[in-house]
Amino acid sequence: MLLLNQLPEHRTSLDPVDADTLGIPLARQVERFLKYREDHQETPLHSLPSVATEFKLGAVYIKDEGLRLGLGSFKALGGSYAVIRLVLEEAARQFGRHVDVVELQTLAVRAVAQGLTVCCATDGNHGRSVAMGAQLVGAKCVIFVHSGVSEGRIAAIAHYGAEMARVDGNYDDSVHEAARVAEQQGWVTVSDTSWPGYERIPGFVMQGYTALLSEALRQMPEPPTHVFIQAGVGGIAATVAGHLSLVLGEGRPFVTVVDPSKAACLFESARAGRAVKVDRGEPTVMAMLECYEPSLVAWRILSRTADAFMTVEDEEAIEAMKRLASPGSGDPAIISGESGGVGLAALRKVAANKELRERIGLGAESRIFLINTEGATDAELYEKIIGATPEEVSSRNEA
């Protein structure tokens, strides 16, 4: 299903707060902060000429965030950046002066961090990022996980020294529980979703994601004409659509936001004309996108800057994973988790349908931008789906 954005606010200016959050000056700050991370390297942008030829497109590019900061997901950029921002702000408050990132590892700033406890709810990747950031600065960290989070993902979060708290129910239940306990204990909630009265910190998280876009725009020979971007609560989708609208203006690409059909909170919000919560049904294989209520900040941005909303099925996401792992001639093998290849799944669905192509203006000159949002963050599940280990898939490029 594909729905064009017919909302009255479509293509109107961003709210000034959102424009500041996602604008060029703070995007440059994010990249500056990253230079102080020992494990930072720009992630690659791959061309997929075989996909482009198959679907009669000008070019297809995919940014591989499966290699980001050793965490295996674009979310390494968001939660950890937010934690660093919060520690520097608290240090500035206590010291009565501006505190720069160059001071992050000083004894004085680390003493401030040690007095903080940060927490969040997660499906896996965001929690790892927050835990990574807390470990980096020396803060305490508690991560809330719901019953659907795999043992492999829980272990990956605990690896960074976080205390794990288990919650019955789904992701949204864990979000509410994390916020409740944080308020009770005086902890700082570092969530990637927002709700009434809680927007600033999710804005920091989204701000962190702009780094991958700054890199991609430098790596592409020309800006894209179309973007297919997956969404859970909407943070990465809003960052992509909002930042590109600010950087490229009238030359910005046509942005299609993609939901799992079993957790289509943004698609249904677009259909309703307002942010809505959808009922929980069967779980989706796209675990990182299994969210039933959009972030209010993300929705505010997407209602203005997204051009279409669509859904994909579980089997389509799995086929995209397999296509990336066993590509056509000339394309690299890419390790993509269950949620990572959803943009490609959406592109394949639209490109194979004449009516949908025409509806979004997809043609022989179109340049497509996709993001592989995660690698094999659960290696055991990845092998079960693909029939090969991540190492075996990676070795196909060497061969």
Side-chain angles (χ1 to χ4, degrees):
M1 297 179 69
L2 187 144
L3 182 68
L4 294 179
N5 188 344
Q6 304 288 350
L7 300 171
E9 60 266 39
H10 182 221
R11 287 199 170 250
T12 60
S13 298
L14 288 177
D15 183 285
V17 172
D18 300 329
D20 180 61
T21 296
L22 299 179
I24 294 173
L26 288 175
R28 288 175 177 161
Q29 174 181 279
V30 172
E31 290 205 284
R32 179 171 170 267
F33 276 33
L34 279 172
K35 290 178 181 178
Y36 292 90
R37 300 282 296 271
E38 291 182 359
D39 49 357
H40 167 62
Q41 288 185 334
E42 290 193 5
T43 56
L45 180 85
H46 297 295
S47 175
L48 302 180
S50 178
V51 174
T53 299
E54 179 182 351
F55 291 112
K56 298 180 176 61
L57 302 168
V60 177
Y61 300 101
I62 187 165
K63 182 76 164 158
D64 189 2
E65 290 298 297
L67 304 172
R68 180 66 71 179
L69 291 169
L71 190 145
S73 164
F74 79 97
K75 290 201 171 182
L77 292 167
S80 58
Y81 170 77
V83 171
I84 292 169
R85 281 284 309 263
L86 291 165
V87 167
L88 294 177
E89 285 189 353
E90 178 59 20
R93 187 189 69 79
Q94 292 188 25
F95 302 164
R97 62 172 177 83
H98 173 72
V99 179
D100 191 72
V101 68
V102 299
E103 302 177 68
L104 189 63
Q105 297 302 332
T106 62
L107 291 176
V109 174
R110 287 190 70 83
V112 170
Q114 288 165 8
L116 293 177
T117 298
V118 295
C119 76
C120 73
T122 189
D123 278 318
N125 292 336
H126 177 66
R128 288 180 72 188
S129 184
V130 171
M132 173 194 281
Q135 185 182 72
L136 179 70
V137 300
K140 301 179 186 68
C141 182
V142 181
I143 303 296
F144 291 75
V145 292
H146 60 88
S147 56
V149 178
S150 71
E151 290 300 322
R153 291 193 169 103
I154 291 172
I157 299 168
H159 169 76
Y160 291 100
E163 177 186 335
M164 307 305 297
R166 296 177 184 258
V167 178
D168 290 334
N170 59 26
Y171 172 75
D172 296 320
D173 297 321
S174 64
V175 168
H176 296 312
E177 180 65 6
R180 184 190 70 80
V181 175
E183 183 175 4
Q184 188 179 76
Q185 298 293 330
W187 299 342
V188 180
T189 302
V190 184
S191 179
D192 59 351
T193 190
S194 62
W195 50 85
Y198 179 79
E199 294 188 354
R200 185 166 177 268
I201 293 174
F204 288 166
V205 173
M206 291 169 60
Q207 201 172 92
Y209 302 156
T210 60
L212 73 89
L213 296 169
S214 299
E215 293 173 9
L217 289 172
R218 289 194 296 268
Q219 293 165 330
M220 281 185 279
E222 294 181 82
T225 61
H226 293 75
V227 175
F228 291 84
I229 181 65
Q230 52 268 63
V233 296
I236 183 60
T239 300
V240 170
H243 184 69
L244 292 181
S245 73
L246 293 168
V247 173
L248 300 175
E250 290 302 311
R252 71 181 184 82
F254 187 100
V255 176
T256 301
V257 177
V258 189
D259 275 331
S261 63
K262 296 176 181 177
C265 64
L266 286 165
F267 181 89
E268 293 301 336
S269 293
R271 179 147 58 184
R274 57 184 175 82
V276 298
K277 183 176 182 178
V278 298
D279 293 334
R280 180 186 182 187
E282 290 182 36
T284 171
V285 71
M286 295 166 266
M288 298 301 104
L289 307 180
E290 190 174 338
C291 305
Y292 300 94
E293 188 171 9
S295 163
L296 293 186
V297 171
W299 173 248
R300 186 170 66 219
I301 294 167
L302 288 170
S303 66
R304 292 165 167 81
T305 58
D307 299 296
F309 299 82
M310 67 176 290
T311 60
V312 296
E313 305 299 327
D314 280 13
E315 55 269 25
E316 291 167 331
I318 290 172
E319 282 305 309
M321 285 178 70
K322 292 178 177 178
R323 174 61 183 264
L324 289 167
S326 301
S329 177
D331 292 357
I334 296 173
I335 300 165
S336 175
E338 314 88 82
S339 301
V342 171
L344 176 61
L347 170 63
R348 296 178 75 193
K349 188 172 186 174
V350 172
N353 184 300
K354 184 175 183 293
E355 179 188 346
L356 295 182
R357 286 178 72 106
E358 292 175 353
R359 199 182 301 181
I360 72 166
L362 204 62
E365 303 300 318
S366 298
R367 301 179 300 276
I368 316 302
F369 176 55
L370 311 171
I371 301 174
N372 176 31
T373 51
E374 64 169 7
T377 54
D378 186 327
E380 185 177 334
L381 180 57
Y382 181 85
E383 183 178 1
K384 181 178 179 181
I385 292 172
I386 299 299
T389 67
E391 293 76 20
E392 289 169 340
V393 171
S394 182
S395 69
R396 292 169 184 170
N397 291 320
E398 298 168 10

